[in-house]
Amino acid sequence: AGGHIHFGLGMLMQDKQGIRSRLTAGPYAETALVPASPWLDATPPPAPNVAACMRPATELAVGLSGSANRLAVWRQQAGRWHFEVRPLPLAPLTVAADTTALVLSGVDRLGNESRRLMLKPCDSVADERAAALQLMGGAP
């Protein structure tokens, strides 16, 4: 199994020799998902309920169901990927004007992750209408 375990919590809490500062500015600067605990339950939650495409510079409503209690969000902006984990209750997801892709997945309390959904910008008004119909349960 991959990962890190740090002994001597006092060293981290007191930031002795700047260890906490160096770790949080370097290898631990980005948020990460807690690894799953498949020995407790390996059933993934349902994928998020979201439209099939996105419009940059808007808000996107995302729904979670089943055992999912967090939303994992990967955003591609200016050629770089950024990651965040959003807890319930979910506020609408703001899509910045320079967002070129979003990847979303639901995560349950044991770290099981749903199927990942990739959203690209809507190419046309027809794409937006089809996405809205899909979100409401209609045929695209």
Side-chain angles (χ1 to χ4, degrees):
H4 300 99
I5 296 177
H6 296 280
F7 293 94
L9 187 59
M11 292 277 296
L12 292 173
M13 297 299 292
Q14 296 169 16
D15 200 19
K16 288 191 177 183
Q17 298 178 359
I19 186 73
R20 183 182 65 222
S21 299
R22 289 197 316 267
L23 288 172
T24 56
Y28 298 104
E30 296 274 332
T31 302
L33 287 174
V34 174
S37 302
W39 57 91
L40 296 174
D41 178 11
T43 306
N49 184 15
V50 66
C53 60
M54 60 163 187
R55 288 186 60 214
T58 62
E59 289 189 340
L60 182 66
V62 180
L64 292 176
S65 61
S67 60
N69 65 355
R70 290 170 286 159
L71 179 69
V73 180
W74 291 264
R75 300 171 192 262
Q76 187 178 40
Q77 294 172 298
R80 294 195 57 216
W81 285 96
H82 305 277
F83 178 70
E84 69 174 305
V85 179
R86 302 185 72 187
L88 289 177
L90 289 177
L93 189 61
T94 301
V95 181
D98 64 344
T99 300
T100 53
L102 278 175
V103 176
L104 307 173
S105 69
V107 182
D108 69 14
R109 66 183 184 84
L110 297 175
N112 295 310
E113 186 182 357
S114 75
R115 180 174 54 90
R116 292 181 180 177
L117 303 176
M118 179 173 233
L119 282 71
K120 295 280 192 170
C122 297
D123 290 330
S124 66
V125 172
D127 281 353
E128 291 179 41
R129 285 187 186 134
L133 278 172
Q134 178 187 7
L135 189 57
M136 293 184 296

